């Protein structure tokens, strides 16, 4: 019987998938050697994290200028006391946890459940009752986000498919970008938490890109590419969730990484030119 790893290798071997993944990896390699990263990588990575937080929040409906988000992160600026502000705060928290975890080797291969819990807690605080945070949904609970997707599975199926993800993560020989795309798509499909599933899905994608060596600098910003085509991103998630086009989802994720490398180069150029406050 084919294993999850076998299934993933089959997906990765599809010519269109392989071409998209190769293009993304080449873009990440080019970004890696940008001059700004030789001496100012921490600043570049911090700015990329801020841009990721802004884009991820915007995908949840909380749209704020980059300068505002930079001030929230760097200077503790207060956010509006409404749903939009709560969503931005959640995205900023998740981005901070994501940066912390992505700096650890094999961040997702050890303690996957704990990592999910930590991200879910950061994503849901202020948006759901405290007793529902940091754990998968139980019987009778439904996700309060990502409307428009096919119905979310029940808790029993969630447990099985999270175990499938752990099995994939346990195999270090699998292509990192393809695994990251499946992690991303599965969380969107499962919506295992009552809230914050989109933030958690994109965080796992980002963490694995870094820890698997696809984007070792952490300066790529695929979230910006997802935001630039939010409609396409939503449709891709729906196709993945329904099982209609898993290869297409992987290709779209790879394309976002390729485009995210361009956003990363803009980050590097802005840091070099002194256009970003050093306090960040």
């Amino acid at each position: 019987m084919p294993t999850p790893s076998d299934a993933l290798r089959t997906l990765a071997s599809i010519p269109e998938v392989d071409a998209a993944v190769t293009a993304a990896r080449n873009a990440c390699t080019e970004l890696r050697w940008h001059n700004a990263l030789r001496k100012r990588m921490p600043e570049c990575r911090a700015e990329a994290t801020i841009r990721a937080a802004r884009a991820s929040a915007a995908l949840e409906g909380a749209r704020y200028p980059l300068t505002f988000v930079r001030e929230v992160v760097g200077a503790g600026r207060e956010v509006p006391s409404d749903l939009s502000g709560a969503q931005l705060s959640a995205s900023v928290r998740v981005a901070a946890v994501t940066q912390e975890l992505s700096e650890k080797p094999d961040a997702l291969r050890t303690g996957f459940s704990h990592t999910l819990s930590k991200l879910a807690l950061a994503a849901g605080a202020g948006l759901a009752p405290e007793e529902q945070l940091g754990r998968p949904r139980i019987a009778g609970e439904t996700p309060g986000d990502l409307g428009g997707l096919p119905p979310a599975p029940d808790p029993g199926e969630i447990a099985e498919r999270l175990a499938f993800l752990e099995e994939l993560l346990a195999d270090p020989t699998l292509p990192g970008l393809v695994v990251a795309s499946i992690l991303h798509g599965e969380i969107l499909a499962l919506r295992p938490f009552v809230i914050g599933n989109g933030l958690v899905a994109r965080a796992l994608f980002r963490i694995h890109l870094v820890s698997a060596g696809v984007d070792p600098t952490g300066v790529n910003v695929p979230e910006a590419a997802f935001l630039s085509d939010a409609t396409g991103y939503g449709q891709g998630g729906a196709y993945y969730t329904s099982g209609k086009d898993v290869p297409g989802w992987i290709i779209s994720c790879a394309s976002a990484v390729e485009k995210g490398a361009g956003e990363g180069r803009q980050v590097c150029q802005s840091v070099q030119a002194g256009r970003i406050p050093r306090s960040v």
Side-chain angles (χ1 to χ4, degrees), residues 243-270:
K244 291 181 179 178
D245 192 6
V246 175
W249 170 254
I250 298 171
I251 290 168
S252 69
C253 286
S255 176
V257 171
E258 183 180 6
K259 294 174 182 176
E263 183 80 9
R265 286 191 295 275
Q266 291 182 25
V267 167
C268 292
Q269 291 162 3
S270 294

Side-chain angles (χ1 to χ4, degrees), residues 143-161:
D145 60 350
L146 299 177
L149 294 179
D154 61 32
E157 184 177 344
I158 288 173
E160 292 177 4
R161 287 171 67 172

Side-chain angles (χ1 to χ4, degrees), residues 8-280:
L8 202 77
R9 288 192 178 91
T10 298
L11 284 169
S13 68
I14 296 172
E16 294 83 0
V17 172
D18 180 63
V21 169
T22 298
R25 290 192 67 93
N26 289 342
C28 288
T29 298
E30 182 181 348
L31 172 61
R32 183 178 183 179
W33 297 111
H34 195 287
N35 286 336
L37 299 178
R38 294 181 180 179
K39 295 183 178 180
R40 302 180 71 176
M41 185 182 290
E43 292 172 74
C44 293
R45 195 164 188 173
E47 174 65 11
T49 297
I50 289 169
R51 295 188 184 204
R54 173 187 176 268
S56 203
L59 285 165
E60 299 300 312
R63 291 178 175 265
Y64 289 88
L66 178 59
T67 52
F68 182 90
V69 180
R70 197 181 286 133
E71 289 173 5
V72 170
V73 174
R77 180 171 177 173
E78 291 188 8
V79 302
S81 57
D82 56 12
L83 178 59
S84 177
Q87 288 173 326
L88 175 60
S89 295
S91 186
V92 168
R93 286 193 303 269
V94 169
V97 173
T98 299
Q99 181 168 355
E100 173 194 341
L101 292 172
S102 64
E103 292 173 354
K104 299 178 180 179
D106 296 328
L108 298 181
R109 291 194 178 106
T110 55
F112 181 58
S113 295
H114 175 72
T115 296
L116 273 179
S117 177
K118 191 170 184 177
L119 288 168
L121 189 61
L127 293 167
E130 188 173 344
E131 64 271 17
Q132 293 183 327
L133 300 179
R135 60 160 175 79
R137 291 185 287 112
I138 59 176
E141 293 178 340
T142 56
D145 60 350
L146 299 177
L149 294 179
D154 61 32
E157 184 177 344
I158 288 173
E160 292 177 4
R161 287 171 67 172
L162 289 179
F164 158 79
L165 294 180
E166 286 197 84
E167 190 171 341
L168 290 182
L169 288 166
D171 186 347
T173 67
L174 294 174
L177 179 47
V178 179
V179 173
S181 300
I182 297 300
L183 286 169
H184 187 173
E186 280 295 291
I187 299 302
L188 294 180
L190 295 176
R191 282 148 284 168
F193 308 106
V194 295
I195 201 70
N197 293 290
L199 295 179
V200 173
R202 291 185 290 276
L204 288 175
F205 184 65
R206 186 175 190 82
I207 291 168
H208 199 64
L209 289 178
V210 177
S211 62
V214 179
D215 171 38
T217 67
V219 179
N220 196 303
V221 192
E223 297 87 350
F226 293 133
L227 178 60
S228 71
D229 183 18
T231 299
Y233 176 65
Q235 290 174 341
Y239 285 145
Y240 180 94
T241 299
S242 64
K244 291 181 179 178
D245 192 6
V246 175
W249 170 254
I250 298 171
I251 290 168
S252 69
C253 286
S255 176
V257 171
E258 183 180 6
K259 294 174 182 176
E263 183 80 9
R265 286 191 295 275
Q266 291 182 25
V267 167
C268 292
Q269 291 162 3
S270 294
V271 169
Q272 272 189 323
R275 293 195 292 269
I276 298 171
R278 281 184 175 268
S279 60
V280 170

